[in-house]
Amino acid sequence: METSRRREQLGLQEAARPGALSRRGILKGAAVTVGAASLGLGAMGEAHAADAAMTATSPDGSNKITVSLVGGALSWSVKRAGTTVVDTSALGLAMSDGTTLGTANTVMTAYQHWTKDSTWTPVYGRNATIRDHYQEMRWKLQDSSSGVAFGIQIRAYDAGVALRYTLLDTGKATISDELTSFVFPDGTLVYSARDENVYSAVAPDAIPSTGTSSTDVGPLTDMPLLVTQVGGLRACVCESSRVNYPRGMLTSVPGQSNTVRTYLMKKTARGSGTTQTTSTVTTPFATPWRVLVLGSSDTDLVDNAELVLNLAPANALTDTTWIRPGKVFRCNLTTAAGIAGVDFAVARDMDYIEYDAGWYGPEFTTTDATTAIPDIDLPMVINHATANGIGCAPSWDLQAGWRLRSQMMAPRKWSPAR
């Protein structure tokens, strides 16, 4: 078992070459069923069958994620302890040139599978070491109409399952939409909310329409999304390893009961910003993981949340000694609240207090975050916090943050110290 984490960032070159193994691979027994019979090709193989299916199973046998290719179209499903979590649901990527990958004319050309069991040390977190134990399956695919080579990867952990797409050709590609859908069983509720609004417990097809002229509008909800099902099963839909890709939301699908679909944000979540309807990426490229953290209770979801970390890229910092993780208590925007917040943090063994954006003036309209509002004597609060071993962490919004960054990055003329 590994004691240090050597993270494979994409492994796309390996997946793109038939017969090549990922350097993460520890090949063990796994089943890939193609049509009505097994290919019988062991850990790796090539096939051109019209219909196929592959299933990754968690090490404890409880979670199963299946991807199917039927009539040239991809779909997926998830089960936990034999109970359906996600019923047969459509997959696909829409490209800016009108090509839609995975919805028709898809051919499977090669596959890989393996089981991985290692540990790694996080910079901070609930546990000093994290176990990364899963079964993974990969298909190399081709869109027979356009010739585009792409792929799909699935993983099954004891904590949940994950799925993502890969674009395998070398060059550039422009993505206009992602078509990953989630069809839930009858009786499912999702806890929908945007930004910091109140949660609404609704059927998946009844997410309220929200948004403004400066944000995305529609029956949209942020991720992570809590899902509850009949029988007590809990799921958290979220994403991991989102690099150079739009932030994902989820949307109800008109006319499709119990269904949500991935929605790629086109506008900023708050304030104003550039509308971006497509994303151009350098290929080979992997989209973010679409993740289902699974459990039998709400506390299981907390305990299993390290799944998201296991799917994320490795820490790229060589020096992390300056990072001081800790619990934070957010205070109202007054001096008295800050002083009381420090005392509250001390009594409960917390590490920081926070003044949210607004401590320097109205949020979104005040761009100078160097002076506190009259209601906050910031030096007094900081001195009280320091004397009690508590950190003080004022935050700011995007506009003020960019101005601070510009000020810190601006060329300066320095004089000798006197």
Side-chain angles (χ1 to χ4, degrees):
M1 181 179 294
E2 297 177 357
T3 56
S4 63
R5 196 185 197 200
R6 294 187 306 160
R7 299 285 286 160
E8 176 190 88
Q9 300 300 319
L10 295 179
L12 300 183
Q13 289 81 1
E14 290 90 337
R17 298 197 308 270
L21 288 177
S22 163
R23 58 187 170 88
R24 300 191 73 176
I26 302 174
L27 298 178
K28 296 184 180 179
V32 177
T33 303
V34 178
S38 171
L39 276 175
L41 295 176
M44 166 152 328
E46 298 183 18
H48 300 278
D51 292 349
M54 63 176 177
T55 297
T57 302
S58 62
D60 67 1
S62 62
N63 300 323
K64 295 181 183 291
I65 176 172
T66 298
V67 170
S68 301
L69 176 61
V70 178
L74 291 170
S75 62
W76 73 303
S77 61
V78 177
K79 289 188 175 183
R80 179 174 174 84
T83 299
T84 297
V85 180
V86 176
D87 213 338
T88 303
S89 305
L91 296 171
L93 278 179
M95 314 306 289
S96 64
D97 63 359
T99 301
T100 303
L101 304 177
T103 59
N105 306 310
T106 304
V107 176
M108 190 268 284
T109 61
Y111 76 89
Q112 299 170 283
H113 65 81
W114 55 84
T115 296
K116 173 72 178 293
D117 190 0
S118 64
T119 59
W120 57 281
T121 302
V123 176
Y124 62 91
R126 300 177 71 199
N127 298 303
T129 59
I130 294 176
R131 188 180 186 185
D132 192 17
H133 191 196
Y134 61 86
Q135 184 179 80
E136 177 166 342
M137 300 271 184
R138 295 186 181 188
W139 271 351
K140 181 182 177 184
L141 304 162
Q142 186 173 48
D143 180 72
S144 59
S145 296
S146 64
V148 172
F150 67 108
I152 195 154
Q153 302 175 359
I154 56 174
R155 287 187 187 177
Y157 292 77
D158 294 349
V161 299
L163 171 149
R164 71 176 176 181
Y165 307 92
T166 55
L167 297 172
L168 301 176
D169 292 324
T170 301
K172 298 284 186 179
T174 301
I175 300 167
S176 60
D177 202 0
E178 183 180 326
L179 308 177
T180 307
S181 63
F182 302 73
V183 179
F184 295 112
D186 290 341
T188 296
L189 291 177
V190 299
Y191 286 74
S192 165
R194 289 187 67 172
D195 203 4
E196 297 181 5
N197 293 331
V198 174
Y199 288 97
S200 299
V202 297
D205 50 31
I207 294 173
S209 184
T210 55
T212 68
S213 59
S214 61
T215 65
D216 292 272
V217 176
L220 299 167
T221 181
D222 286 332
M223 291 190 282
L225 177 69
L226 173 64
V227 178
T228 64
Q229 297 186 343
V230 175
L233 188 141
R234 298 289 190 268
C236 177
V237 183
C238 50
E239 61 182 358
S240 186
S241 192
R242 180 169 61 85
V243 181
N244 299 324
Y245 198 81
R247 175 178 154 192
M249 301 180 75
L250 294 167
T251 179
S252 294
V253 181
Q256 297 185 31
S257 62
N258 297 321
T259 301
V260 296
R261 183 174 65 81
T262 301
Y263 177 92
L264 303 183
M265 286 181 63
K266 299 172 178 58
K267 298 182 179 181
T268 56
R270 299 184 181 183
S272 59
T274 303
T275 299
Q276 184 175 333
T277 58
T278 61
S279 296
T280 299
V281 299
T282 299
T283 56
F285 178 80
T287 67
W289 290 101
R290 301 303 169 204
V291 186
L292 278 168
V293 181
L294 299 174
S296 301
S297 66
D298 296 330
T299 53
D300 281 352
L301 297 184
V302 176
D303 291 337
N304 292 339
E306 287 175 343
L307 169 60
V308 179
L309 302 181
N310 273 326
L311 293 164
N315 170 44
L317 299 176
T318 56
D319 179 15
T320 59
T321 58
W322 55 273
I323 299 174
R324 291 182 52 205
K327 298 183 289 292
V328 182
F329 178 72
R330 186 166 69 176
C331 303
N332 290 330
L333 302 180
T334 66
T335 302
I339 297 295
V342 170
D343 297 338
F344 181 91
V346 170
R348 290 158 180 81
D349 197 27
M350 302 179 78
D351 305 280
Y352 294 93
I353 64 162
E354 177 198 6
Y355 281 128
D356 204 354
W359 64 266
Y360 49 83
E363 193 175 0
F364 304 126
T365 59
T366 305
T367 58
D368 183 5
T370 60
T371 304
I373 59 176
D375 286 344
I376 301 176
D377 186 336
L378 197 56
M380 177 184 291
V381 175
I382 291 174
N383 288 338
H384 183 61
T386 302
N388 286 277
I390 300 297
C392 185
S395 64
W396 49 79
D397 64 17
L398 186 62
Q399 289 87 344
W402 276 111
R403 178 171 177 178
L404 280 175
R405 181 181 183 277
S406 299
Q407 290 172 336
M408 289 187 288
M409 298 293 289
R412 297 178 183 272
K413 185 180 291 184
W414 300 97
S415 300
R418 296 180 181 175

